[in-house]
Amino acid sequence: MHLWIDGQDLDQIKKSFDSVEISRSENFVSVQINKEKLLELLSFLKDKLGYKMFIDFFCMDFPVQSPRFQGVYLLFNPEKMRRVAVKCWAEGDSLPSATKLWKGIKWAEREAWDMFGVRFEGHENLVRMFMWETYQHHPLRKDFPLRGHGEVYLPPLSGEESPAHNYSPYHTALPTMEDLEITQKKRLPEKKAQIVLNWGPLHPGTHGTIWFLFDMEGEEVKECDIILGQLHRGVEKIAENITYTQFIPYTDRMDYISALCSQVAYVNAVEKHLGVEPTEKAKYIRTMMCELQRINSHLLWLGTYALDLGALTIFLYTFREREKIMDIIEGIAGIRLNSTYIRIGGVAKDLPEGALDVIEHFLNDFPQRLKEYETILTKNRVWLRRNVDVGVITREDVYSYGLTGAVARASGVPYDVRMFQPTDAYGDVDFDVPLGKVGDSYDRYLVRVEEMRQSVRIIKQCVKVLRQMEGESYINTEHPFVLPTLDQVFNSIEAMVKDFNLRIYGEKLPEGEIYLSGENPRGELGFYINSKGEGRPYRLRVRSGAFYNLQVFTELIKGRTVADAVVLLGSLDPVVGETDR
């Protein structure tokens, strides 16, 4: 199924805008417009053509030309199920802000300012997104060194210089307490109430290193902002300096609760651009592993969410089942958490003997366990009181903020990447997409519980097919850009040479660009890859579902108490490794 804007819509754009340049390929369709007409085109796409859902915004750096920076907007038409990209050069290193069209673009523009130094005219509070406010550099610029600027001298512990130590005595600057205080005040420039309460970054209720600022009048939150960056990993910068295969372990460490799903989303994008077709067996293994990972992730969410609200028993129960899944993942991939199991062209190794039997045993037991959770929670008076009508998200909020995953579906929006853009075996299995009616925290709970049932349904179908594929290949090593298996490397000089060349020089993707996404437990995880025909990406953008889902928290918490903040954050289920990237 073609997922990009059709010719009819493109013709309407051409008729309405004389200066557009349209670039079409199988995996990416973009409309380029000049800066003066940018907001007019974006408004036309949203209001006239139905591309009303904001997906992502990011910048590109071309340092040898002027203008240097280019902005890229990704939009989605929920009726036609089609995407479109809009490109615009940042003349004078600035672009007009699009925050009046989509609320979700507020954080994206702040990130572009933080990482590239592009300013946005009309943005209400253009402050940094990840770095502290007094930081002088913009890390995603091409001229920013991979290891950062060594600005601070770190004397050796011995007190004297030693030529035997092969390291630089200079390291990058770290924020001081004064820097953090300036950053905090910039986030809430117009204090409205009595006191600013800091929640996090090390509070257990924040589910990670997130720093919340609550401007409070009594117990009521009047304003809120979030300071991210405590877990900033710089993976997009790293990706520009390593091969496509070498980047796979970094996807594990973004959403570390659903590492396999992240790997699959990334590898699918690389394969699509390379023209690599994984084997049928690999497709079913990937789909099965992703759904096991989805249950694993939702169990962690449910256990910690219930614990936050005082239900200790559920935490113990969900971790009982989660431990079984972790054992299954470890038995198949070799590692429990960051497995790096997925490969370009397939998976790293075949299913071990007895793996499908163990998975079937879990599938036979799990539905009853799920009923136990629901018996304790679903009609519990305290659970209902804490969740019902708390943090209601409308369909319009979903489109404006770019909300995806269970957060969007709980508001009645049937946005599931597995359905409208099926990869691997998702097009060959049957499952339903559960939807909510109200869009509150209770609906988000109900949707995730039902998603676990649907995952069981998908896994059963995969197991049935995989039992008939015993002995078939789990990776397509015939393609020149697919790493050989270990057995091939150990027994063939040609395979060893191929393995060496690919690991050192990388897979030379064709010139061009692609955007492809996967349905992570936290929403749409998308990868935009811009290739110049080299063994490394010129630009790799990670579209984080957790990042955009978290942004809506700042609006939902207004007028509510800190006790509700625990519920709201838990119901959104962010993972900081992915929000910070």
Side-chain angles (χ1 to χ4, degrees):
M1 179 181 177
H2 189 67
L3 289 170
W4 292 93
I5 185 171
D6 57 29
Q8 184 178 356
D9 286 348
L10 289 174
D11 288 340
Q12 290 193 52
I13 293 172
K14 290 177 185 176
K15 290 178 182 178
S16 303
F17 298 89
D18 297 330
S19 57
V20 297
E21 297 179 16
I22 295 174
S23 175
R24 302 183 69 173
S25 67
E26 180 186 356
N27 302 316
F28 201 79
V29 179
S30 64
V31 180
Q32 187 166 303
I33 190 83
N34 57 43
K35 180 179 172 180
E36 289 72 25
K37 292 283 187 177
L38 173 63
L39 292 183
E40 186 180 342
L41 174 60
L42 292 176
S43 181
F44 180 81
L45 285 166
K46 178 186 177 184
D47 299 328
K48 301 294 184 182
L49 298 185
Y51 292 84
K52 58 185 178 181
M53 184 171 182
F54 169 70
I55 296 298
D56 198 16
F57 169 76
F58 56 92
C59 279
M60 304 269 293
D61 181 15
F62 302 93
V64 297
Q65 63 188 58
S66 182
R68 173 176 179 173
F69 303 105
Q70 186 181 56
V72 182
Y73 302 78
L74 284 175
L75 309 175
F76 185 76
N77 185 322
E79 280 74 38
K80 291 186 175 182
M81 295 292 182
R82 291 181 180 270
R83 299 187 183 112
V84 65
V86 175
K87 293 184 177 182
C88 183
W89 290 103
E91 297 176 10
D93 293 351
S94 71
L95 287 169
S97 175
T99 50
K100 291 183 179 179
L101 293 173
W102 293 282
K103 296 177 182 178
I105 208 168
K106 178 182 177 182
W107 275 17
E109 289 181 351
R110 280 173 52 182
E111 181 180 344
W113 156 243
D114 191 5
M115 296 290 109
F116 290 92
V118 175
R119 294 190 172 274
F120 293 88
E121 304 152 11
H123 194 285
E124 62 183 39
N125 187 27
L126 191 62
V127 292
R128 287 186 176 267
M129 193 68 245
F130 301 116
M131 310 303 290
W132 59 97
E133 205 57 39
T134 52
Y135 191 64
Q136 299 298 312
H137 308 291
H138 302 284
L140 277 184
R141 288 186 173 187
K142 289 292 184 180
D143 52 10
F144 185 88
L146 182 61
R147 294 181 179 273
H149 293 284
E151 301 167 314
V152 180
Y153 177 70
L154 180 66
L157 295 176
S158 63
E160 58 184 34
E161 298 291 347
S162 173
H165 294 102
N166 186 24
Y167 67 89
S168 171
Y170 293 89
H171 66 86
T172 57
L174 295 174
T176 64
M177 290 301 296
E178 183 181 4
D179 293 326
L180 296 178
E181 186 176 345
I182 293 170
T183 300
Q184 180 183 13
K185 289 180 178 179
K186 286 279 189 179
R187 292 297 193 272
L188 295 174
E190 299 179 8
K191 184 172 174 291
K192 294 183 178 180
Q194 293 175 328
I195 188 172
V196 174
L197 176 68
N198 290 270
W199 184 38
L202 299 177
H203 192 284
T206 61
H207 295 263
T209 46
I210 316 178
W211 182 2
F212 294 84
L213 301 175
F214 297 141
D215 190 9
M216 302 193 68
E217 186 76 49
E219 291 190 11
E220 186 177 302
V221 177
K222 295 294 185 182
E223 287 292 327
C224 171
D225 204 352
I226 304 173
I227 302 178
L228 295 176
Q230 277 77 222
L231 209 60
H232 192 214
R233 296 156 183 259
V235 296
E236 294 181 13
K237 183 75 174 182
I238 292 170
E240 298 174 4
N241 295 271
I242 58 179
T243 70
Y244 292 95
T245 294
Q246 287 171 339
F247 185 68
I248 295 174
Y250 290 91
T251 64
D252 283 351
R253 289 154 178 82
M254 295 189 303
D255 184 356
Y256 35 78
I257 310 302
S258 54
L260 283 160
C261 300
S262 303
Q263 295 168 40
V264 169
Y266 166 70
V267 169
N268 274 325
V270 176
E271 288 174 343
K272 185 77 170 176
H273 200 52
L274 267 176
V276 174
E277 185 70 20
T279 65
E280 283 299 307
K281 185 173 187 178
K283 291 179 181 180
Y284 277 93
I285 292 175
R286 288 179 181 182
T287 303
M288 179 181 71
M289 297 296 282
C290 280
E291 294 308 312
L292 282 168
Q293 190 81 81
R294 192 180 313 278
I295 297 174
N296 187 1
S297 175
H298 283 354
L299 286 174
L300 178 66
W301 161 78
L302 181 58
T304 54
Y305 186 44
L307 184 64
D308 286 342
L309 275 61
L312 173 62
T313 305
I314 294 296
F315 176 80
L316 300 175
Y317 282 7
T318 57
F319 268 65
R320 175 188 61 196
E321 272 65 69
R322 186 172 181 268
E323 188 67 20
K324 297 173 185 176
I325 297 180
M326 296 297 283
D327 287 343
I328 291 171
I329 293 174
E330 182 181 13
I332 294 173
I335 301 175
R336 292 164 63 84
L337 194 65
N338 298 321
S339 61
T340 317
Y341 178 62
I342 310 302
R343 293 288 186 275
I344 297 170
V347 294
K349 58 181 98 171
D350 202 352
L351 295 173
E353 185 178 351
L356 296 178
D357 295 333
V358 175
I359 292 171
E360 276 194 331
H361 180 78
F362 171 80
L363 297 177
N364 292 333
D365 175 69
F366 182 66
Q368 181 59 39
R369 303 301 183 185
L370 205 52
K371 287 181 181 178
E372 290 178 7
Y373 312 154
E374 292 183 291
T375 300
I376 296 172
L377 293 179
T378 302
K379 295 183 180 179
N380 184 293
R381 286 176 294 174
V382 176
W383 188 256
L384 292 170
R385 190 74 177 269
R386 293 298 303 273
N387 283 281
V388 173
D389 293 332
V390 174
V392 175
I393 296 173
T394 66
R395 292 175 72 96
E396 185 53 42
D397 288 334
V398 170
Y399 299 139
S400 188
Y401 281 97
L403 307 179
T404 53
V407 176
R409 294 189 285 275
S411 298
V413 178
Y415 190 90
D416 191 317
V417 179
R418 296 172 297 174
M419 276 292 190
F420 67 81
Q421 180 197 276
T423 53
D424 294 322
Y426 281 113
D428 301 317
V429 295
D430 293 323
F431 65 100
D432 297 320
V433 177
L435 300 177
K437 296 179 180 178
V438 180
D440 57 4
S441 295
Y442 188 65
D443 268 356
R444 291 190 278 279
Y445 154 73
L446 293 175
V447 164
R448 288 193 179 96
V449 170
E450 181 57 31
E451 281 188 2
M452 286 192 271
R453 283 200 178 88
Q454 295 302 319
S455 292
V456 169
R457 184 178 167 191
I458 294 171
I459 297 167
K460 284 183 176 179
Q461 295 172 70
C462 291
V463 170
K464 183 178 179 180
V465 174
L466 285 168
R467 286 200 179 278
Q468 302 169 5
M469 290 185 170
E470 189 174 348
E472 293 187 20
S473 177
Y474 57 90
I475 189 167
N476 177 12
T477 55
E478 294 180 4
H479 194 281
F481 289 134
V482 174
L483 285 171
T485 66
L486 285 177
D487 287 341
Q488 291 172 329
V489 172
F490 291 152
N491 293 287
S492 167
I493 291 294
E494 291 79 12
M496 185 172 66
V497 172
K498 178 185 179 184
D499 182 81
F500 174 81
N501 287 331
L502 287 178
R503 292 183 188 276
I504 300 300
Y505 303 110
E507 310 82 357
K508 291 180 171 55
L509 267 69
E511 285 193 46
E513 50 195 338
I514 182 174
Y515 175 80
L516 198 70
S517 56
E519 185 62 41
N520 251 35
R522 258 142 293 281
E524 179 174 355
L525 179 66
F527 290 90
Y528 166 83
I529 299 173
N530 188 297
S531 169
K532 300 298 183 185
E534 301 170 345
R536 292 159 175 75
Y538 182 81
R539 173 80 165 101
L540 188 145
R541 163 68 176 178
V542 181
R543 191 273 178 199
S544 164
F547 178 75
Y548 288 115
N549 288 354
L550 179 61
Q551 184 178 182
V552 77
F553 177 94
T554 59
E555 292 300 318
L556 295 178
I557 193 59
K558 291 179 182 178
R560 307 204 71 94
T561 65
V562 176
D564 288 331
V566 178
V567 178
L568 277 174
L569 183 64
S571 74
L572 296 174
D573 189 27
V575 167
V576 190
E578 189 185 292
T579 62
D580 284 17
R581 284 160 283 131

